[in-house]
Amino acid sequence: MEKFAFVVHPITARDFCRKFPFAKNWSDGFIEGVMRFIPPFKVSHIDGVVSPHNQTEGWFVGCPLTSRQMVEMPEGYVIKKIIKAGKIAEKLGAKIIGLGAFTSVVGDAGITIAQNLNIAVTTGNSYTVATALEGTRQAAKTLGINMERANVVVLGATGSIGAACAQILAREVRYLTLVARNEAKLEKIAGQIFRATGLAAKVTANTKGALKTADIVIAVTSAVDTLIEPEDLKTGAIVCDVARPRNVSRRVVEARDDVLVIEGGVVEVPGEVDFGLNFGFPPRTAYACMAETMILALEKRYENFSLGRDLTVKQIETIEQLATKHGFRLAGFRSFERAVTSQEIEGVKEKIRARAALLKEGIC
């Protein structure tokens, strides 16, 4: 049996209570204080991952630090704790380990962690890119938006996922805006895109300004707090939120029934998989980063795959092909832990049509 492991951590202090309900009345600050002293541990056993070609089992290994702690605490301390989680995976018999959420962001995006383990490591970012783009294309088709003519914004374009999304989208769209705080890094990525595709992407650090004119937004920043609020978006906009914690405020789906917000990177896993852990998804679905680890195990490719800040288009195409081979596929449109209904999509389409009629009459 092929074996893998995946590192998980609480996104917020409240997530800690999913595993330990006795902590539900504790304050967030107290929970985070307690977690600092808890070593990594096995969270659950995963079985039932069966593809047409192989089967695998694995484990979730918990690294008890919240997203905010991983950003704010000393980098060396956080990385050592992730490595300890990896050592647990080794003892369990895993041959590859995936880095979930912020464990794939801190430091050098997995390189140092891989250098200190005796098993393969991946961040899962290649398959995350592939599924985010696939979901975005499907959403655009559903709403009747021509991506080639749409104003596409990548929020967090200097990160590994954002930069890879931008490089691939540049081959498909005419109008691409790259957004991040560091404009020098944005200029470098824009230059690479121009040399590879001939597309002159815009760059800006003005997030709000870029969002107001966007038809399609792919949000992939590592910000701890939300960045996209209801007033930031135009009618008919599609937002694919890949980030965890989310870049999109819950207020957007509560206040704006004329935009479509979908979660990026949620996939169906082949087989009757039992994760042994409730992370808020329907049965047999997982994040694409988890799926990438399973796919590599199923394929017996025990090698460091998605590491560092520079993903290649070849890596993304490869993992996409392997995912199809083993029966992984996009799990429909989801938003804030629930499926987006056909009625909601029709509602957005109606708002787009009404807006277009008003524009035609010169009313707005």
Side-chain angles (χ1 to χ4, degrees):
M1 178 81 78
E2 309 309 320
K3 300 181 189 297
F4 70 94
F6 193 83
V7 182
V8 294
H9 72 88
I11 301 298
T12 67
R14 289 298 99 192
D15 290 334
F16 182 76
C17 305
R18 289 177 187 264
K19 181 67 178 176
F20 303 106
F22 59 82
K24 64 181 180 182
N25 294 322
W26 295 358
S27 70
D28 290 358
F30 185 73
I31 290 174
E32 288 191 337
V34 169
M35 281 195 292
R36 294 183 62 165
F37 299 100
I38 299 177
F41 58 94
K42 184 184 81 172
V43 174
S44 67
H45 179 241
I46 304 167
D47 61 13
V49 182
V50 181
S51 90
H53 304 280
N54 205 350
Q55 55 185 311
T56 182
E57 66 173 342
W59 299 269
F60 281 130
V61 178
C63 184
L65 291 174
T66 64
S67 303
R68 188 179 301 279
Q69 286 178 302
M70 289 205 175
V71 171
E72 296 179 352
M73 295 181 73
E75 186 177 287
Y77 172 85
V78 175
I79 289 177
K80 282 182 180 177
K81 200 157 187 175
I82 299 169
I83 291 170
K84 288 180 180 176
K87 293 294 183 185
I88 291 175
E90 287 182 1
K91 291 179 181 176
L92 289 167
K95 298 176 183 176
I96 185 169
I97 188 167
L99 304 177
F102 272 59
T103 65
S104 68
V105 174
V106 295
D108 48 16
I111 294 174
T112 299
I113 295 165
Q115 290 170 343
N116 285 275
L117 293 178
N118 297 311
I119 57 176
V121 179
T122 188
T123 61
N125 284 347
S126 295
Y127 194 40
T128 296
V129 171
T131 54
L133 294 177
E134 183 183 356
T136 300
R137 294 185 192 106
Q138 288 187 11
K141 185 177 180 181
T142 300
L143 292 188
I145 295 176
N146 184 335
M147 284 191 60
E148 185 180 356
R149 298 179 179 177
N151 185 10
V152 180
V153 169
V154 177
L155 190 59
T158 53
S160 59
I161 295 176
C165 285
Q167 289 168 5
I168 294 174
L169 284 168
R171 302 187 296 188
E172 306 173 22
V173 306
R174 294 182 188 175
Y175 309 106
L176 180 63
T177 302
L178 312 181
V179 184
R181 287 177 297 183
N182 190 323
E183 291 196 58
K185 288 186 177 178
L186 286 176
E187 292 286 1
K188 182 179 179 182
I189 294 169
Q192 293 170 344
I193 288 174
F194 182 75
R195 288 189 292 276
T197 68
L199 180 75
K202 294 181 181 177
V203 301
T204 180
N206 183 351
T207 301
K208 300 294 184 184
L211 290 174
K212 286 193 179 300
T213 59
D215 299 300
I216 295 171
V217 179
I218 297 181
V220 288
T221 84
S222 56
V224 174
D225 299 314
T226 56
L227 299 175
I228 303 176
E229 300 295 338
E231 58 273 19
D232 297 330
L233 300 168
K234 62 187 281 189
T235 292
I238 295 169
V239 184
C240 180
D241 193 356
V242 186
R244 292 295 177 276
R246 291 180 172 84
N247 287 163
V248 179
S249 165
R250 182 177 287 275
R251 290 179 55 238
V252 174
V253 294
E254 294 172 347
R256 296 291 302 269
D257 59 0
D258 59 339
V259 302
L260 178 60
V261 178
I262 60 173
E263 295 174 352
V266 183
V267 299
E268 291 181 10
V269 177
E272 297 296 323
V273 58
D274 180 2
F275 291 108
L277 172 69
N278 175 16
F279 48 91
F281 281 10
R284 299 185 297 281
T285 59
Y287 287 115
C289 52
M290 297 174 182
E292 179 172 309
T293 315
M294 299 174 203
I295 293 164
L296 293 170
L298 288 168
E299 195 66 15
K300 301 181 184 179
R301 287 187 63 158
Y302 296 119
E303 60 189 74
N304 297 332
F305 194 79
S306 303
L307 288 186
R309 305 292 179 196
D310 298 319
L311 299 177
T312 67
V313 174
K314 179 67 175 176
Q315 280 176 296
I316 295 159
E317 291 173 344
T318 297
I319 199 68
E320 197 168 21
Q321 291 166 0
L322 294 176
T324 301
K325 170 184 173 181
H326 288 285
F328 290 80
R329 62 180 183 178
L330 205 64
F333 298 144
R334 295 186 58 79
S335 184
F336 287 89
E337 281 93 31
R338 66 175 184 80
V340 178
T341 67
S342 57
Q343 290 84 358
E344 288 173 307
I345 291 173
E346 282 305 313
V348 176
K349 292 167 75 172
E350 180 58 35
K351 293 292 192 309
I352 294 173
R353 287 192 288 268
R355 173 75 172 175
L358 291 173
L359 286 171
K360 188 175 181 179
E361 295 173 7
I363 296 176
C364 65

